[in-house]
Amino acid sequence: MPIDAIYGVLEQFVNRQTLFCIASNAPHEKMAVTLPLTKLDGYFENTVFIALAANITSSILHYVDDLRQTMTFV
């Protein structure tokens, strides 16, 4: 289960129109189960990035860093 404070953090992102995503090494099938279980799925529609789907074999961190450079942070 997620830490309860995450819902408030995500609401702040939404309210401030800040872009955010999930980057994971888990397969899509697992994320399709775990996000609804934790009630986080509504926050991450179309913003779940999976390392295998992105053809990243060494580390998803490189992919996230590349993605971060294209996003605007407030």
CSV table of all heavy atoms in Angstrom, one decimal, residues 1 7 10-12 16 26 39 42 44 46-47 50 53 69 74:
chain,number,residue,atom,x,y,z
A,1,MET,N,0.8,-1.2,0.0
A,1,MET,CA,0.0,0.0,0.0
A,1,MET,C,0.9,1.3,0.0
A,1,MET,O,1.9,1.3,0.6
A,1,MET,CB,-0.9,0.0,1.2
A,1,MET,CG,-1.9,-1.1,1.3
A,1,MET,SD,-3.0,-1.2,-0.1
A,1,MET,CE,-4.0,0.3,0.1
A,7,TYR,N,-1.2,10.7,-1.7
A,7,TYR,CA,-2.4,11.3,-2.4
A,7,TYR,C,-2.4,12.8,-2.3
A,7,TYR,O,-2.8,13.5,-3.3
A,7,TYR,CB,-3.7,10.7,-1.7
A,7,TYR,CG,-3.8,9.2,-1.8
A,7,TYR,CD1,-3.5,8.4,-0.7
A,7,TYR,CD2,-4.1,8.6,-3.0
A,7,TYR,CE1,-3.6,7.1,-0.8
A,7,TYR,CE2,-4.1,7.2,-3.1
A,7,TYR,CZ,-3.9,6.5,-2.0
A,7,TYR,OH,-4.0,5.1,-2.0
A,10,LEU,N,0.2,14.1,-4.9
A,10,LEU,CA,-0.3,14.0,-6.3
A,10,LEU,C,-1.4,15.0,-6.5
A,10,LEU,O,-1.5,15.6,-7.6
A,10,LEU,CB,-0.9,12.6,-6.5
A,10,LEU,CG,0.2,11.5,-6.5
A,10,LEU,CD1,-0.5,10.1,-6.6
A,10,LEU,CD2,1.2,11.7,-7.7
A,11,GLU,N,-2.2,15.3,-5.5
A,11,GLU,CA,-3.3,16.4,-5.7
A,11,GLU,C,-2.6,17.7,-5.9
A,11,GLU,O,-3.1,18.5,-6.7
A,11,GLU,CB,-4.2,16.4,-4.5
A,11,GLU,CG,-5.2,15.3,-4.5
A,11,GLU,CD,-6.1,15.3,-5.7
A,11,GLU,OE1,-6.6,16.5,-6.1
A,11,GLU,OE2,-6.4,14.3,-6.3
A,12,GLN,N,-1.5,18.0,-5.2
A,12,GLN,CA,-0.7,19.2,-5.4
A,12,GLN,C,-0.2,19.3,-6.8
A,12,GLN,O,-0.3,20.3,-7.5
A,12,GLN,CB,0.4,19.3,-4.4
A,12,GLN,CG,0.0,19.6,-3.0
A,12,GLN,CD,-0.7,21.0,-2.9
A,12,GLN,OE1,-0.2,22.0,-3.5
A,12,GLN,NE2,-1.8,21.1,-2.2
A,16,ARG,N,-1.5,22.2,-9.4
A,16,ARG,CA,-0.5,23.1,-10.0
A,16,ARG,C,-0.2,22.8,-11.5
A,16,ARG,O,0.6,23.4,-12.1
A,16,ARG,CB,0.8,23.0,-9.2
A,16,ARG,CG,0.7,23.5,-7.8
A,16,ARG,CD,2.0,23.3,-7.1
A,16,ARG,NE,1.8,23.7,-5.7
A,16,ARG,CZ,2.7,23.8,-4.8
A,16,ARG,NH1,3.9,23.5,-5.1
A,16,ARG,NH2,2.4,24.2,-3.6
A,26,ALA,N,8.7,-2.9,-13.8
A,26,ALA,CA,7.7,-4.0,-13.7
A,26,ALA,C,7.0,-4.0,-15.1
A,26,ALA,O,6.9,-3.0,-15.8
A,26,ALA,CB,6.7,-3.7,-12.6
A,39,LYS,N,-5.1,2.5,-5.5
A,39,LYS,CA,-6.0,3.6,-5.8
A,39,LYS,C,-5.2,4.8,-6.4
A,39,LYS,O,-5.5,5.9,-6.2
A,39,LYS,CB,-6.8,4.0,-4.6
A,39,LYS,CG,-7.8,2.9,-4.2
A,39,LYS,CD,-8.6,3.4,-3.0
A,39,LYS,CE,-9.6,2.2,-2.7
A,39,LYS,NZ,-9.6,1.9,-1.3
A,42,GLY,N,-5.9,6.4,-11.2
A,42,GLY,CA,-6.5,7.6,-11.8
A,42,GLY,C,-5.6,8.8,-12.0
A,42,GLY,O,-5.8,9.6,-12.8
A,44,PHE,N,-2.4,8.3,-13.0
A,44,PHE,CA,-1.4,7.9,-13.9
A,44,PHE,C,-1.9,7.4,-15.3
A,44,PHE,O,-1.3,6.5,-15.9
A,44,PHE,CB,-0.4,7.0,-13.3
A,44,PHE,CG,0.3,7.5,-12.1
A,44,PHE,CD1,-0.1,7.2,-10.9
A,44,PHE,CD2,1.4,8.4,-12.3
A,44,PHE,CE1,0.6,7.8,-9.8
A,44,PHE,CE2,2.0,9.0,-11.3
A,44,PHE,CZ,1.7,8.6,-10.0
A,46,ASN,N,-2.2,7.0,-18.9
A,46,ASN,CA,-1.3,7.3,-20.0
A,46,ASN,C,0.1,7.9,-19.6
A,46,ASN,O,0.7,8.5,-20.4
A,46,ASN,CB,-2.0,8.3,-21.0
A,46,ASN,CG,-3.2,7.7,-21.6
A,46,ASN,OD1,-3.3,6.5,-21.9
A,46,ASN,ND2,-4.3,8.5,-21.6
A,47,THR,N,0.5,7.8,-18.4
A,47,THR,CA,1.8,8.3,-17.9
A,47,THR,C,2.5,7.2,-17.2
A,47,THR,O,3.3,7.5,-16.2
A,47,THR,CB,1.6,9.5,-17.1
A,47,THR,OG1,0.8,9.2,-15.9
A,47,THR,CG2,1.0,10.7,-17.8
A,50,ILE,N,7.3,1.9,-19.0
A,50,ILE,CA,7.8,0.6,-18.6
A,50,ILE,C,9.2,0.4,-19.3
A,50,ILE,O,9.2,0.6,-20.5
A,50,ILE,CB,6.9,-0.6,-19.0
A,50,ILE,CG1,5.5,-0.3,-18.4
A,50,ILE,CG2,7.4,-1.9,-18.6
A,50,ILE,CD1,5.5,-0.3,-16.8
A,53,ALA,N,9.2,-1.9,-22.4
A,53,ALA,CA,8.5,-1.3,-23.5
A,53,ALA,C,9.3,-0.2,-24.2
A,53,ALA,O,9.1,0.0,-25.4
A,53,ALA,CB,7.1,-0.8,-23.1
A,69,GLN,N,14.0,15.7,-19.1
A,69,GLN,CA,14.6,16.8,-19.8
A,69,GLN,C,13.5,17.4,-20.8
A,69,GLN,O,13.7,18.6,-21.2
A,69,GLN,CB,15.8,16.4,-20.5
A,69,GLN,CG,17.0,16.2,-19.6
A,69,GLN,CD,18.2,15.7,-20.3
A,69,GLN,OE1,18.5,16.1,-21.4
A,69,GLN,NE2,19.0,14.9,-19.6
A,74,VAL,N,7.8,23.0,-12.2
A,74,VAL,CA,7.5,24.2,-11.5
A,74,VAL,C,8.1,24.2,-10.1
A,74,VAL,O,8.0,23.3,-9.5
A,74,VAL,CB,6.0,24.5,-11.5
A,74,VAL,CG1,5.7,25.8,-10.9
A,74,VAL,CG2,5.4,24.5,-12.9
